[in-house]
Structure formats: structure tokens, C-alpha cells
Amino acid sequence: QLYIPRTDVVSEAPEDGESIALATGRGESVLVVEDDPALRNMIVSFLQKLGYAVRAASNGSEALAIAQRAGSIDLLLSDVILPGDYSGPELADEIAARVPAIRILLMSGYAADALERRATSARYATPLQKPFSMGKLAQEIRAALSA
């Protein structure tokens, strides 16, 4: 038997103006760079279901190799703090030098003030703060690609 508690609490509206309908992809290519394998796999699976062509890497060096082999990349979605030789902003600078039209969306689990001390480039807006909902991620990716 399964017991489920009964409640009179009414469900709240979605956070941050998040709508029920998710912003879907139009076949755009997204390079996801995240060192946490569980989060990386979840993001890749979610973006593929939304209609994006997704490639994934666990660090900056791997991401650069993918970027060099790829025909085109429309968006780089990268964690700010990465293991290895590159931070997210440094990686974004390297890839943007090779693919000038690429859109950049950074994400981080660090507080905003800690990011200001650690980020190497002021070129990028405040990163998408982890944890985030998949709806928020879809919304931010669509906004970045539409900018």
C-alpha cells in the first residue's frame, strides 16, 4: 500500500514568471560544458527533447576539441568553474575567438559576489544561478539565442 498525505494547500504559480509551455529549440547546436556528470546528462537529455542538437564536454580542453571539430555551434552553455586549464569565461573567450557569432550562457553554483572575484572576464552577464529549473534553463537559452 502507498499512503499519500492529503493537503489543502493550493499549488503556487511557477517561479520567475516561468510558463508551463517550454521554449523549444529549432535545431540550434548547443555545446554543454559541465563537470558534474549527472547534471551534464540531465541538461543534455532535456535540451535534446526540446529540439536542440547537443554536444557535451566535462572540461575546457574537451570543449575546445569539440568546437574545433564541429561544423558550427550556436550556443555555449558552460559552468563558470571548471576543472583543468580553463574557467568558463576563459573557455568562452577561446571559443568566441574561433566562432565569433556564438552566443554564450554561463551557469554557476557560486554566489554572485564570489563570482565577481573569480570570473576572469567582465564580457559576460551574471551567470544562470544553480540550482535552476529546467523551465528557467529553456527560457534563458531561448533568450540567449534570440538576442
Side-chain angles (χ1 to χ4, degrees), residues 4-58:
I4 301 173
R6 184 173 20 174
T7 181
D8 294 328
V9 176
V10 178
S11 175
E12 294 181 17
E15 291 183 7
D16 301 323
E18 184 181 322
S19 65
I20 302 301
L22 296 176
T24 59
R26 301 176 191 130
E28 296 98 330
S29 175
V30 178
L31 174 55
V32 176
V33 188
E34 170 59 53
D35 60 317
D36 179 337
L39 180 56
R40 183 177 59 246
N41 292 337
M42 183 173 59
I43 291 171
V44 167
S45 176
F46 177 71
L47 294 180
Q48 287 172 335
K49 288 177 184 173
L50 288 180
Y52 294 101
V54 185
R55 295 176 180 94
S58 61

Side-chain angles (χ1 to χ4, degrees), residues 31 33 56-69 78 82-88 90-91 94-95 98:
L31 174 55
V33 188
S58 61
N59 60 54
S61 298
E62 190 179 326
L64 280 174
I66 291 170
Q68 289 173 344
R69 290 190 314 263
S78 177
L82 295 170
D85 298 339
Y86 298 94
S87 69
E90 290 169 338
L91 173 64
E94 286 289 325
I95 292 179
R98 292 172 170 85

